[in-house]
Amino acid sequence: MGLVEGKVIIVTGASSGIGEKTAEVLAAEGAKVVLAARRKEKLEDVANRIIAAGGEAYTVSGDVSVREDCDRIAEETVKKYGRIDVLVNNAGIGDKQMSITRCSDDWWRQIIAVNQDSVFYMSRAALVYMEKRGEGSIVNISSIGGVFANAGIAYSAAKAAVVAMTKNVAIQFAGKGIRCNAVCPGPTITPLLSSDEIATFDQEFMKTCNEHICRSVPKAEAVDQANAILYFASDLSKAVTGQALVVDYGCN
Ligand code: NDP
């Protein structure tokens, strides 16, 4: 019997990195995983691998910064499996590490749309179904930037909002069968970490930020984040809600 046996779990951003590994780990623990992201082919690759390993997976492509897509991802999940037990809000884009005096309006809006609005849209869409059953769990992926604010202004703000939404949803549903927790990764080896998006555009600002981070610890691996997500998705954490768990080897 797996730790999330039979649970219907949506993982956004499942085409890469932490989301991809999370989908694999949850499926290996018995979940029926619904993989969501924009790149349909990448999602199909991940789903085929899970199915070949004996797991259950279904794909729904969509852009989680768009409300209609979020509603559709939730609807298609319920149409396929009849319910949503767990939502993992993982999709996100990397940090351009802009200080407030260097951050453009465009970059601010893009980060807020993908890293913050998506969590609001997807959670609201899933909660419609969870509330009817009085059962469910949401796991939001924030960042150490959302806890310590030592990243770009837009990224830090969006990820802090994710922690605030986590606690707010937890308060609303405390004792009502629905939990909401966050995982806050530190630097983790994924395509995001090596992409251009995370390149440092504001060297002086980041030097100041880095004074708040101990760089001598190892980087985490996607599986380290996936295991924390598994804990919040499973009934092992049935008495835990409104928590933000930092997974960063103690680099802050
Ligand atoms: P990756 O770049 O490897 O994966 C990001 C995922 O998000 C992809 O599957 C991508 O899929 C999806 N995504 C991006 N934009 C959208 C969108 N508009 N709609 C739907 N899906 C989208 O990154 P990671 O695995 O590293 O990051 C996962 C989460 O972890 C993010 O929220 C990130 O902020 C957070 N995080 C990561 C850290 C790290 O060091 N790696 C540190 C702290 C937090 P597609 O392109 O197919 O849409």
Side-chain angles (χ1 to χ4, degrees):
M1 200 54 184
L3 283 172
V4 283
E5 196 68 43
K7 285 189 192 288
V8 176
I9 304 185
I10 300 174
V11 181
T12 70
S15 62
S16 172
I18 293 169
E20 175 179 355
K21 181 53 76 180
T22 298
E24 288 173 2
V25 165
L26 294 171
E29 290 290 341
K32 297 168 182 170
V33 285
V34 176
L35 317 180
R38 291 164 303 179
R39 288 171 294 171
K40 183 78 176 163
E41 275 176 25
K42 294 278 284 178
L43 290 177
E44 295 293 352
D45 287 349
V46 180
N48 288 338
R49 236 182 303 126
I50 287 171
I51 292 162
E56 168 89 32
Y58 182 67
T59 64
V60 186
S61 58
D63 181 337
V64 291
S65 67
V66 176
R67 179 177 57 79
E68 290 78 4
D69 284 19
C70 294
D71 290 345
R72 185 174 46 78
I73 291 165
E75 275 162 27
E76 284 192 31
T77 301
V78 174
K79 210 166 148 197
K80 171 79 179 165
Y81 292 119
R83 63 183 195 280
I84 302 167
D85 292 308
V86 181
L87 165 66
V88 180
N89 280 314
N90 163 77
I93 51 174
D95 182 15
K96 275 193 182 158
Q97 307 185 333
M98 299 286 194
S99 61
I100 190 163
T101 44
R102 301 280 300 277
C103 184
S104 68
D105 292 359
D106 281 353
W107 182 242
W108 173 266
R109 284 198 204 94
Q110 200 181 330
I111 279 273
I112 298 297
V114 182
N115 288 4
Q116 178 179 325
D117 293 353
S118 64
V119 175
F120 170 65
Y121 292 145
M122 272 309 311
S123 301
R124 191 177 57 179
L127 280 165
V128 168
Y129 301 102
M130 290 178 176
E131 220 178 343
K132 278 184 194 150
R133 299 176 57 238
E135 219 176 295
S137 173
I138 296 178
V139 188
N140 294 324
I141 311 311
S142 174
S143 164
I144 52 169
V147 178
F148 304 104
N150 50 5
I153 181 73
Y155 192 84
S156 296
K159 292 299 191 180
V162 171
V163 173
M165 282 190 271
T166 302
K167 292 180 187 290
N168 192 266
V169 171
I171 288 167
Q172 183 182 352
F173 293 103
K176 295 178 185 159
I178 298 172
R179 302 183 295 112
C180 186
N181 292 285
V183 172
C184 305
T188 304
I189 303 161
T190 69
L192 176 146
L193 201 63
S194 53
S195 75
D196 287 346
E197 273 174 352
I198 206 162
T200 297
F201 287 85
D202 199 337
Q203 301 282 351
E204 201 174 323
F205 169 65
M206 283 316 292
K207 194 165 161 275
T208 313
C209 284
N210 287 341
E211 281 163 12
H212 295 271
I213 297 176
C214 167
R215 288 294 180 188
S216 58
V217 299
K219 289 188 174 62
E221 291 175 33
V223 71
D224 300 318
Q225 309 303 342
N227 286 334
I229 294 165
L230 171 65
Y231 169 69
F232 284 135
S234 79
D235 295 340
L236 286 178
S237 62
K238 68 181 170 35
V240 182
T241 191
Q243 300 305 303
L245 178 65
V246 172
V247 181
D248 73 343
Y249 275 105
C251 80
N252 275 278

